[in-house]
Amino acid sequence: MTADPRSSGARGRLAGLFTDPPRWLARAARTVTALEIALGVAALLLIFFLVLVQAGQRYLPIEGWAWTGELARFSLVWLTFVVAGVLVTTDSHIAIEMIDGVGNDTVRRVVRVLSCLIVAAVGYGLTAEAWELVETQGVLKSPALEMPMSWLYGISMIGFVSTTVRAVIAAVRYAVLGAPVMSFEDVAGVPTT
């Protein structure tokens, strides 16, 4: 009888952390994900209603509100960046998945880890730049809303931090557990039963 290499040592404990996380860690991850998705949903609903108001203003005999378009644009930025971390975790972000069809597990693992580390590096750079903008752009106000521009960058920074942290976690997970193997159902689009 041979022992499972994942069941012993630090690597085994790390693999166990990914396959069966402690209850508090799983709850914390679900809470953070739910908050990010809630912010994304709020931004999406805000865009919908603001664009609806803009369309309605064209046909009403009242003067239009300039701030609706500005807030809709800001909401689109917030929506884009706030949910980026969730997309990294669920492997739903834009990616070329051709490597998943390669038969060599080591090649798949190395490419996935490297791609996650690149995403983490970009996320870190965006976080650093957003922090700099939050610190320096607080005196600037948006034209119509007169909202401090630091708010625009501060809310976006939530997504940058999340993307960075989640990409590092994904890199460690791929390094420990390996990369997924593309199945026939994934390639052919055949639903599993």
Side-chain angles (χ1 to χ4, degrees):
M1 183 182 226
T2 59
D4 183 8
R6 293 183 183 164
S7 64
S8 62
R11 185 175 178 155
R13 287 190 299 273
L14 197 54
L17 187 64
F18 287 117
T19 56
D20 188 26
R23 186 174 294 160
W24 66 269
L25 185 60
R27 188 178 310 125
R30 281 193 310 270
T31 302
V32 169
T33 300
L35 287 172
E36 290 173 338
I37 289 175
L39 286 172
V41 166
L44 184 64
L45 289 173
L46 194 57
I47 292 168
F48 175 75
F49 288 117
L50 289 172
V51 170
L52 203 63
V53 166
Q54 285 179 315
Q57 287 175 352
R58 293 182 186 154
Y59 301 104
L60 295 175
I62 59 172
E63 188 175 327
W65 300 317
W67 61 268
T68 57
E70 187 174 90
L71 187 54
R73 284 191 299 276
F74 290 161
S75 296
L76 182 60
V77 171
W78 294 329
L79 170 65
T80 302
F81 294 127
V82 164
V83 297
V86 176
L87 296 177
V88 169
T89 298
T90 60
D91 208 15
S92 302
H93 62 291
I94 297 173
I96 299 173
E97 295 178 348
M98 290 173 40
I99 195 66
D100 293 343
V102 173
N104 188 335
D105 182 50
T106 305
V107 171
R108 279 194 323 274
R109 183 181 299 210
V110 168
V111 169
R112 280 293 190 117
V113 168
L114 283 175
S115 69
C116 286
L117 291 176
I118 290 169
V119 169
V122 169
Y124 176 77
L126 290 171
T127 301
E129 187 60 31
W131 179 253
E132 177 69 24
L133 290 170
V134 166
E135 291 290 313
T136 61
Q137 302 298 312
V139 295
L140 294 178
K141 307 255 188 258
S142 64
L145 277 173
E146 296 186 11
M147 177 186 84
M149 292 306 290
S150 59
W151 292 9
L152 174 68
Y153 306 118
I155 294 174
S156 299
M157 193 169 61
I158 294 169
F160 300 147
V161 169
S162 175
T163 299
T164 304
V165 170
R166 290 173 186 253
V168 168
I169 291 169
V172 172
R173 181 176 187 175
Y174 290 136
V176 172
L177 298 179
V181 179
M182 188 180 294
S183 66
F184 174 74
E185 290 81 17
D186 293 335
V187 175
V190 178
T192 57
T193 55

